């Protein structure tokens, strides 16, 4: 994520779902000025223990408590699956609201190429008897990558994406128009 975002010293970044602050630390090491957001007070406490001078706020994807055009980039790792399919476009709108012109988004999470890939994966895990994965597929709302990419492209972003494993994907987008 850090390589794809390629932050310049002094750029403003937001880590949505900051958790313990591990990802944010990597951006800080590159000279980015980071802020953190999490919907869990206990996770914010963890990140504040590790990064006591980092500005953090309690909040969520659907109502990001920052002014418009505050950030050069927004990142999030392993949090998108907490949103329903209906909420994901709303979250993308919120991220877009936060971004300065030519702003960047980078998301990493368990995702599926499309719904057919999700179903094939579910059937494979069912045949293997992998109850843990099947339970995870029911409890979490893993993204359909084709829908994310489609929304981003329809809203003026140029996108790149990469699969690191069958279900682990990264989506990168840069706002080409404003």
């Amino acid at each position: 994520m850090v390589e794809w975002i390629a932050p310049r010293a002094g750029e403003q970044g937001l880590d949505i779902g900051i958790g313990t602050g591990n990802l944010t630390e990597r951006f800080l090491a590159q000279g980015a000025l980071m802020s953190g957001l999490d919907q869990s007070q206990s996770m914010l406490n963890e990140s504040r223990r590790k990064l006591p001078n980092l500005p953090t706020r309690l909040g969520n994807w659907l109502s990001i408590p920052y002014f418009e055009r505050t950030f050069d980039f927004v990142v999030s790792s392993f949090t998108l699956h907490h949103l329903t399919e209906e909420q994901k476009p709303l979250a993308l709108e919120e991220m877009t609201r936060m971004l300065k012109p030519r702003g960047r988004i980078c998301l990493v999470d368990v995702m599926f190429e499309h719904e057919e890939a999700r179903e094939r994966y579910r059937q494979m895990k069912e045949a293997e008897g992998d109850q843990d994965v099947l339970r995870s597929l029911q409890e979490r709302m893993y993204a359909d990558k084709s829908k994310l990419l489609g929304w981003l492209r329809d809203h003026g972003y140029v996108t790149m994406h990469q699969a690191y494993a069958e279900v682990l994907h990264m989506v990168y987008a840069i706002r080409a128009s404003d």
Side-chain angles (χ1 to χ4, degrees):
M1 290 180 87
V2 175
E3 288 177 24
W4 283 32
I5 288 289
R8 291 178 296 283
E11 279 194 310
Q12 298 282 331
L14 175 64
D15 184 352
I16 299 177
I18 188 172
T20 61
N22 291 339
L23 178 60
T24 293
E25 274 187 314
R26 292 187 172 144
F27 283 99
L28 290 169
Q30 297 296 311
L33 304 173
M34 297 298 293
S35 296
L37 177 72
D38 209 295
Q39 65 182 13
S40 164
Q41 187 62 55
S42 64
M43 286 290 98
L44 282 177
N45 292 342
E46 287 297 316
S47 65
R48 287 174 181 156
R49 248 190 300 285
K50 185 184 285 187
L51 304 164
N53 297 319
L54 183 80
T56 59
R57 292 189 182 172
L58 186 65
N60 65 60
W61 284 90
L62 303 178
S63 181
I64 300 172
Y66 290 94
F67 292 113
E68 291 181 11
R69 298 177 182 246
T70 300
F71 299 102
D72 297 291
F73 63 90
V74 176
V75 296
S76 185
S77 61
F78 299 102
T79 61
L80 191 62
H81 65 264
H82 294 294
L83 301 174
T84 66
E85 281 303 307
E86 296 79 21
Q87 291 171 326
K88 286 176 178 67
L90 300 173
L92 291 169
E93 286 177 18
E94 267 298 278
M95 285 185 280
T96 296
R97 183 179 69 79
M98 296 293 97
L99 289 175
K100 295 176 183 176
R102 307 270 310 147
R104 291 129 33 225
I105 295 172
C106 195
L107 307 170
V108 170
D109 206 336
V110 172
M111 299 181 199
F112 292 93
E113 289 288 338
H114 39 64
E115 287 305 316
E116 296 81 19
R118 180 191 315 268
E119 182 55 23
R120 279 195 309 272
Y121 187 76
R122 188 198 63 74
Q123 288 174 1
M124 178 182 70
K125 293 302 176 181
E126 190 172 61
E128 293 172 0
D130 193 334
Q131 295 303 311
D132 291 336
V133 170
L134 291 170
R135 192 170 20 265
S136 177
L137 289 170
Q138 287 180 334
E139 293 171 358
R140 297 191 175 145
M141 295 154 281
Y142 298 120
D144 177 326
K145 188 168 76 172
S146 67
K147 289 180 183 176
L148 288 177
L149 293 171
W151 188 97
L152 289 162
R153 289 178 188 137
D154 289 347
H155 290 83
Y157 286 89
V158 174
T159 64
M160 296 188 325
H161 53 95
Q162 184 167 342
Y164 292 97
E166 185 175 3
V167 297
L168 179 60
H169 297 264
M170 181 162 61
V171 169
Y172 172 86
I174 183 168
R175 190 105 188 258
S177 61
D178 212 21

